[in-house]
Amino acid sequence: MQGYIYIKEIRMHAFHGVLPQERTVGNDYVVNVSIAYPLSQACISDDLADTLNYAEALAIVQEEMRKPSKLLENVAYRICQSLHSRFPLCSAVDIDIEKLNPPMTGDCKSAGVSIHVEMADVK
């Protein structure tokens, strides 16, 4: 049985962006992550050892978000790589990274990136 472990609306301040100011001052971000994972054993055993620990997944997201990057695409992919490294049974990751109040001339709530990564494609 394939299922998804997800964490919604991870809020944090980070230092991503093409502009030097963004990497100095930073911005607020919201991250959503959904991880495809085999859940059959956990459904039967009721044992954390048989599933993906979302507290550990959250720590991975936070760690990668602390590493400055110019592009959110790079951050999102690094998160996927780290999740796969820690949880090799995950088969895919969907991740959204939303930069609140981006430095643009238009009035908008946020801008960001959303990617779907099949773990077979992770390098």
Side-chain angles (χ1 to χ4, degrees), residues 38-103:
L39 299 179
S40 298
Q41 190 60 38
C43 290
I44 296 165
S45 71
D46 195 28
D47 187 341
L48 179 60
D50 293 328
T51 191
L52 184 149
N53 183 329
Y54 52 76
E56 290 182 36
L58 172 62
I60 289 169
V61 171
Q62 291 170 324
E63 179 182 335
E64 291 300 332
M65 284 293 291
R66 282 191 282 272
K67 299 175 187 174
S69 289
K70 292 179 184 174
L71 301 178
L72 294 180
E73 292 87 340
N74 178 261
V75 180
Y77 189 69
R78 280 198 336 260
I79 291 169
C80 293
Q81 287 176 310
S82 293
L83 287 169
H84 184 254
S85 177
R86 173 61 188 91
F87 304 107
L89 295 180
C90 73
S91 59
V93 175
D94 290 290
I95 185 163
D96 304 315
I97 303 177
E98 184 178 5
K99 180 186 291 190
L100 304 180
N101 302 309

Side-chain angles (χ1 to χ4, degrees), residues 13-16 20-29 99-100:
H13 194 81
F15 300 88
H16 309 300
Q21 168 193 335
E22 294 179 281
R23 290 188 306 279
T24 302
V25 176
N27 206 329
D28 293 324
Y29 293 83
K99 180 186 291 190
L100 304 180

